[in-house]
């Protein structure tokens, strides 16, 4: 049995850096937001208390933004500028196209049993959505985060009352991102029956061909038709590495679920007023 | 004997009070860690384009949906906002000012009311010599903890209104609409995806049951 290569090392590394910074920002951000509760103080103490946790949050945020800038550079570098606009509208592109919308509708109809399963190309509509959701999330959280990084400095360039708005927008977007990752993303990528208990594609870079025939049939067929399926076949990842991925993955999932559950339990103790 | 025991109680009580009282008073007047870290430096020159004017900030604020400055009462112009108020000395600030009880500064930044409302007696916000007067608020109040504070910075609304409340649409429109927009975005995402993925999971489960095995089987 063989695997099909799906992600390059740089892409996997980017995803892993995203995981690490996202988790660190979640922990420190929730510690900040929940500092009035014992849970929040406990989280903050892991980093050496309230003042320290704010500093860690700020610096991690900067690292994530630098990573985002690097990703944009990587993307611009990889675009085939001569072939525009066709080069970004092909089946390997993450840009939303008409087919994604049709796929989405058909997927919905398939779920309720009204139609056959859509035959996804390289990226399904939800994979594209997940990719662009990080963009939109990072733009919102990044801009407001930079505004709050040094409120005195930023109010040189805008009226100080924009900070009131920035705090809330930052907070709601961050909660949305965490809740989305810790429920919907985890479910779709790992807990959905076809992927359960763990889908390691983004860690290993490749996925078992049978699984891809089911999830991305149009992609596999296109490669077969064009005759370069053999170029993307790689051997399965060795077992010790797979165990490592599984354990790391589940540790991160557990952390996410822990944050989500405790954030919900403790929410009534917050004095934030909507 | 009887009297002596009483007076002993009294003495003990006084002693306790004597120990507790200064502590209680100084706890309120205590220096905030941020205060120790700030030199108190402030800037009167704003560098906002067009020269952010202190005297026109209300106008500018209204134009862009900023805060309207809240209610202005008679007390706002008094040198002692609590002049002639019954029971002022015996009650805590928040027992009268319930709406100002919680703010980011008090519930998270661990600042007490009097670390900002530090003049004695507390003057009305717009009294000419009040340290809270917007013409000097940044210098007399905010710079104590936020070094380099400017008038623009001091337009941050410390006691912000509840963002989702109807009244806020008038008192701070941009705040109201921005927060509502974010809430609708967040709720919308979950309203769509939670049912979606649940049904999706059920669909795959049914498919597997009928095929009698996993995707590899």
């Amino acid at each position: 049995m063989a695997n099909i290569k799906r992600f390059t090392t740089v892409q996997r590394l980017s995803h892993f850096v995203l995981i690490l910074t996202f988790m660190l920002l979640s922990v420190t951000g929730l510690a900040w937001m929940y500092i009035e509760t014992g849970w929040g103080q406990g989280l903050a103490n892991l980093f050496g208390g309230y003042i320290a946790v704010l500093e860690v949050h700020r610096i991690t945020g900067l690292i994530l933004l630098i990573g985002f800038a690097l990703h944009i550079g990587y993307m611009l570098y990889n675009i085939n500028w001569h072939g525009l606009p066709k080069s970004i509208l092909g089946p390997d592109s993450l840009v939303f196209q008409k087919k994604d919308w049709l796929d989405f509708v058909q997927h919905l109809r398939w779920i309720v049993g009204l139609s056959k399963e859509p035959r996804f190309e390289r990226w399904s509509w939800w994979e594209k959505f997940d990719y662009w959701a990080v963009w939109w999330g990072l733009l919102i959280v990044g801009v407001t985060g930079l505004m709050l990084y040094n409120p005195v400095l930023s109010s040189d360039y805008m009226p100080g009352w924009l900070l009131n708005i920035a705090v809330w927008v930052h907070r709601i977007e961050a909660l949305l991102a965490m809740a989305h990752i810790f429920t919907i993303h985890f479910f779709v990528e790992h807990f959905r029956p076809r992927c359960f208990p763990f889908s390691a594609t983004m860690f290993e870079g490749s996925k078992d061909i049978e699984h891809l025939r089911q999830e991305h049939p149009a992609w596999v067929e296109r490669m077969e038709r064009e005759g370069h399926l053999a170029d993307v076949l790689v051997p399965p990842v060795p077992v010790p590495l797979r165990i490592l991925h599984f354990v790391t993955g589940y540790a991160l999932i557990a952390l996410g679920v822990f944050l989500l559950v405790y954030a919900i339990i403790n929410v009534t103790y917050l004095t934030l007023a909507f | 004997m009887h009297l002596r025991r009483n007076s002993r109680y009294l003495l003990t009580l006084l002693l306790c009070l004597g120990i507790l009282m200064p502590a209680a008073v100084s706890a309120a007047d205590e220096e905030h860690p941020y205060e120790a870290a700030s030199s108190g430096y402030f800037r009167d020159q704003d560098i906002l384009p067009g020269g952010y004017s202190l005297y026109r900030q209300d106008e500018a604020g209204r134009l862009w949906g900023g805060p309207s400055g809240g209610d202005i009462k008679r007390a706002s112009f008094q040198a002692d906002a609590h002049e002639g108020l019954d029971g002022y000395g015996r009650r805590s600030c928040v027992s009268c000012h319930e709406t100002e009880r919680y703010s980011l500064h008090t519930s998270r930044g661990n600042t007490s009311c009097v670390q900002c409302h530090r003049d004695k007696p507390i003057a009305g916000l717009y009294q000419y010599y009040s340290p809270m007067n917007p013409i000097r608020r940044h210098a007399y109040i905010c710079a104590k903890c936020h070094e380099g504070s400017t008038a623009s910075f001091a337009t941050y609304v410390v006691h912000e209104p509840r963002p989702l409340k109807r009244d806020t649409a008038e008192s701070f429109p941009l705040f109201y609409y921005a927060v509502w927009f974010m809430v609708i975005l967040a709720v919308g995402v979950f309203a769509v995806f939670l049912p979606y993925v649940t049904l999706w999971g059920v669909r795959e489960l049914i498919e597997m049951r009928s095929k009698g095995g996993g995707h590899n089987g």
Side-chain angles (χ1 to χ4, degrees):
Chain A
M1 204 160 48
N3 278 13
I4 296 183
K5 187 165 161 134
R6 206 156 149 69
F7 298 108
T8 65
T9 312
V10 174
Q11 290 162 350
R12 289 187 286 144
L13 205 68
S14 308
H15 184 255
F16 196 64
V17 171
L18 180 62
I19 294 183
L20 290 185
T21 47
F22 186 90
M23 284 305 192
L24 199 52
L25 285 166
S26 301
V27 175
T28 53
L30 286 172
W32 191 343
M33 181 169 166
Y34 281 80
I35 197 70
E36 300 160 74
T37 68
W39 179 61
Q41 282 157 16
L43 289 181
N45 287 341
L46 297 176
F47 298 87
Y50 186 55
I51 305 285
V53 96
L54 306 192
E55 219 38 59
V56 175
H57 189 84
R58 286 187 158 96
I59 290 165
T60 317
L62 273 193
I63 294 173
L64 178 54
L65 283 181
I66 292 169
F68 187 40
L70 289 176
H71 175 77
I72 294 176
Y74 167 87
M75 188 195 74
L76 293 177
Y77 177 78
N78 276 296
I79 288 180
N80 174 1
W81 292 96
H82 302 294
L84 283 180
K86 262 185 103 181
S87 60
I88 57 162
L89 294 176
D92 285 320
S93 163
L94 279 165
V95 175
F96 272 107
Q97 290 154 46
K98 196 170 156 226
K99 179 181 187 310
D100 296 302
W101 176 245
L102 298 178
D103 278 355
F104 171 74
V105 175
Q106 194 183 341
H107 193 234
L108 194 62
R109 287 166 57 86
W110 168 70
I111 285 174
V112 293
L114 289 177
S115 117
K116 280 202 314 196
E117 196 179 352
R119 298 170 57 74
F120 293 120
E121 246 292 345
R122 180 157 184 186
W123 310 115
S124 58
W125 68 264
W126 74 84
E127 285 163 340
K128 292 186 183 182
F129 178 86
D130 265 3
Y131 174 77
W132 291 110
V134 180
W135 270 76
W136 120 47
L138 265 183
L139 282 176
I140 296 180
V141 143
V143 168
T144 52
L146 283 178
M147 281 165 74
L148 293 162
Y149 196 97
N150 181 343
V152 173
L153 180 68
S154 60
S155 52
D156 277 352
Y157 304 95
M158 63 189 89
W161 50 260
L162 272 183
L163 298 169
N164 287 86
I165 297 169
V167 173
W168 278 93
V169 171
H170 191 88
R171 181 186 287 155
I172 299 173
E173 176 57 42
L175 290 174
L176 167 61
M178 282 186 279
H180 181 268
I181 297 296
F182 301 157
T183 57
I184 291 161
H185 183 68
F186 285 175
F187 179 80
V188 170
E189 301 302 336
H190 305 295
F191 298 149
R192 167 164 77 86
R194 279 186 194 169
C195 297
F196 191 80
F198 187 65
S199 168
T201 323
M202 205 20 134
F203 291 79
E204 295 173 350
S206 64
K207 187 78 189 174
D208 153 33
I209 191 164
E210 288 311 315
H211 181 85
L212 288 176
R213 263 191 214 290
Q214 189 180 25
E215 293 261 287
H216 296 276
W219 181 45
V220 181
E221 269 161 32
R222 172 167 60 95
M223 289 191 297
E224 275 173 336
R225 202 170 54 240
E226 293 174 358
H228 43 68
L229 183 63
D231 306 342
V232 291
L233 287 185
V234 290
V237 177
V239 172
L241 213 56
R242 271 155 71 178
I243 294 175
L244 180 71
H245 290 148
F246 188 88
V247 173
T248 319
Y250 261 87
L252 290 162
I253 290 177
L255 176 60
V257 173
F258 161 77
L259 291 177
L260 187 69
V261 169
Y262 273 77
I264 292 172
I265 294 176
N266 282 290
V267 79
T268 50
Y269 300 112
L270 292 187
T271 55
L272 280 177
F274 268 92
Chain B
M1 190 64 199
H2 207 71
L3 204 127
R4 267 186 48 208
R5 193 196 291 150
N6 259 350
S7 57
R8 218 167 45 223
Y9 277 134
L10 206 73
L11 257 175
T12 327
L13 198 79
L14 276 176
L15 214 89
C16 285
L17 273 179
I19 292 166
L20 285 176
M21 274 306 278
V25 168
S26 68
D29 281 342
E30 213 176 86
E31 211 183 39
H32 189 278
Y34 270 39
E35 231 175 297
S38 167
S39 67
Y41 165 71
F42 62 91
R43 290 170 295 155
D44 266 342
Q45 229 67 48
D46 269 330
I47 63 166
L48 269 178
Y52 193 74
S53 165
L54 279 174
Y55 303 99
R56 282 187 283 118
Q57 70 191 21
D58 275 4
E59 267 172 66
R62 266 194 292 282
L63 188 62
W64 297 104
S68 64
D71 291 349
I72 298 179
K73 305 155 201 112
R74 203 170 62 90
S76 307
F77 298 98
Q78 279 171 204
D80 176 2
H82 302 100
E83 197 183 334
L85 207 62
D86 248 8
Y88 171 66
R90 276 173 277 116
R91 296 175 60 178
S92 69
C93 310
V94 288
S95 69
C96 295
H97 298 295
E98 178 56 35
T99 40
E100 282 80 16
R101 181 190 287 265
Y102 300 118
S103 67
L104 201 136
H105 275 87
T106 41
S107 44
R108 300 216 231 141
N110 216 7
T111 45
S112 65
C113 308
V114 294
Q115 280 169 337
C116 283
H117 299 284
R118 49 176 53 234
D119 46 333
K120 281 185 195 120
I122 295 172
L125 295 182
Y126 296 99
Q127 198 263 340
Y128 189 74
Y129 296 105
S130 167
M132 271 292 174
N133 191 312
I135 63 171
R136 64 176 78 76
R137 186 183 291 172
H138 62 291
Y140 281 59
I141 310 289
C142 313
K144 286 271 185 309
C145 294
H146 299 284
E147 202 166 88
S149 163
T150 60
S152 163
F153 174 73
T155 63
Y156 171 81
V157 184
V158 170
H159 305 289
E160 58 184 18
R162 290 173 170 235
L164 302 184
K165 255 180 78 176
R166 188 65 220 154
D167 300 348
T168 311
E170 266 118 62
S171 67
F172 196 167
L174 199 62
F175 186 54
Y176 176 81
Y177 291 110
V179 175
W180 264 112
F181 174 80
M182 290 307 297
V183 167
I184 290 170
L185 179 74
V187 172
V189 165
F190 285 97
V192 171
F193 281 109
L194 281 182
Y196 196 113
V197 298
T198 313
L199 288 175
W200 182 358
V202 172
R203 178 73 176 81
E204 286 191 7
L205 211 62
I206 294 171
E207 167 200 85
M208 278 187 158
R209 282 279 158 78
S210 63
K211 277 191 188 162
H215 52 80
N216 297 333

